[in-house]
Amino acid sequence: YKTVIDKSAIVSIADLKGKIIHVNDEMCEVTGFHRDELLNASHSLLSHPDTPEVTYKELWATIKKGETWQGIFKNLKKDGGYCFQKSTIVPFKDKDGNVIKYISISHDVTEVFENKSQLQKYLNFDTLTELNNRNSLLMDIKKAKSADLAIIDIDDFHRINETYGMKTGDKLLKLFASRLSEHHRLYRYFIYRLHSDVFAVFSTQSDKNIFIIDVETALKDIVKETFVIGDKELMISTITGYAHGSDNIM
């Protein structure tokens, strides 16, 4: 079983002060460090600043009592990168029951965490326009004590899809989103695409009247210019609704 673990997991052994006294090949391969760079070094060599300090305090409090600790670390690699490791640290005792060293058996779960991070991004991100989406707006509203919200609908957008096709419609949405996010009157606000042709502008720190003026001015500028898509020049208009204050925003 020792050989199986050594071939399938990241294994290291530390003394009572946390100094590394043994590493296997997998440990070297994952971290990028040579064996002689790790031996006699402190495990803090691998500590990533993103791992909370409380994690290490909990770890030491547990293993010093002779109990097994399990958890996840974000560790540094030699090249400056990082990896996530799901670890089990077991105190090794002598025949009298005294802890003499600590054995760490870990698995590289970086891919799992990266996929989770990517999934979280897509849950809050509109891939067509590269704006935040409805889910992101709802979370921001929940966190806001007071806010201003503008909901913008492109008037008769379905006719553009019906007349010119969905590819043209998508390109128009991307251009419209770009103009919204780049307009100088909206730079201090948050921009979202909620669905189809519906967009939102959100603020948590503006005067209601100034917010309305900024949005209306920006939209006037945006729609007065044609949207050039291939050999087509399209004109659009928008319909906008407003909500203000924490009680009315939802």
Side-chain angles (χ1 to χ4, degrees), residues 154-247:
I154 299 177
D155 198 19
D156 284 334
F157 177 75
H158 67 94
R159 296 187 184 277
I160 294 173
N161 277 338
E162 291 169 359
T163 305
Y164 301 106
M166 293 184 67
K167 284 187 178 180
T168 296
D170 285 350
K171 289 178 181 179
L172 187 140
L173 291 173
K174 290 175 71 173
L175 282 173
F176 183 77
S178 178
R179 291 186 187 182
L180 271 179
S181 58
E182 293 174 5
H183 197 281
H184 67 279
R185 296 297 287 261
L186 303 180
Y187 76 94
R188 58 189 177 132
Y189 306 134
F190 301 100
I191 314 294
Y192 310 79
R193 181 189 177 211
L194 304 188
H195 62 85
S196 186
D197 61 328
V198 180
F199 295 79
V201 181
F202 180 67
S203 172
T204 58
Q205 50 183 9
S206 63
D207 175 270
K208 176 177 73 175
N209 296 321
I210 293 175
F211 177 76
I212 293 174
I213 291 170
D214 283 342
V215 173
E216 292 295 326
T217 302
L219 289 174
K220 185 177 179 180
D221 290 343
I222 289 168
V223 302
K224 74 180 180 183
E225 296 182 20
T226 58
F227 288 77
V228 179
I229 302 171
D231 59 353
K232 306 173 187 68
E233 294 188 7
L234 307 177
M235 297 294 294
I236 65 169
S237 60
T238 59
I239 301 170
T240 308
Y242 295 92
H244 309 281
S246 57
D247 294 333

Side-chain angles (χ1 to χ4, degrees), residues 45-158:
L45 173 69
L46 304 171
S47 298
H48 193 286
D50 286 354
T51 300
E53 189 65 32
V54 68
T55 300
Y56 298 112
K57 290 181 179 179
E58 180 188 286
L59 183 162
W60 278 106
T62 302
I63 62 177
K64 280 184 176 180
K65 291 188 294 185
E67 299 174 1
T68 298
W69 182 90
Q70 290 183 315
I72 295 174
F73 295 109
K74 184 176 183 180
N75 279 342
L76 284 170
K77 299 169 73 171
K78 184 178 179 179
D79 63 5
Y82 62 86
C83 58
F84 288 96
Q85 293 181 13
K86 185 175 183 180
S87 301
T88 299
I89 301 176
V90 182
F92 188 84
K93 301 177 182 180
D94 62 16
K95 62 181 180 179
D96 296 320
N98 299 311
V99 177
I100 57 173
K101 55 188 174 182
Y102 303 111
I103 301 174
S104 173
I105 300 172
S106 306
H107 292 89
D108 187 352
V109 292
T110 305
E111 186 175 349
V112 175
F113 269 77
E114 294 295 342
N115 289 341
K116 183 178 178 181
S117 176
Q118 195 69 10
L119 175 61
Q120 191 63 39
K121 174 184 175 183
Y122 282 115
L123 284 173
N124 300 305
F125 182 75
D126 179 61
T127 54
L128 176 67
T129 62
E130 298 185 354
L131 297 176
N132 285 334
N133 63 14
R134 178 179 180 275
N135 188 54
S136 179
L137 173 61
L138 291 176
M139 289 194 300
D140 289 343
I141 288 173
K142 285 181 181 179
K143 292 185 288 186
K145 294 180 180 179
S146 181
D148 298 299
L149 177 68
I151 303 294
I152 304 162
D153 188 355
I154 299 177
D155 198 19
D156 284 334
F157 177 75
H158 67 94

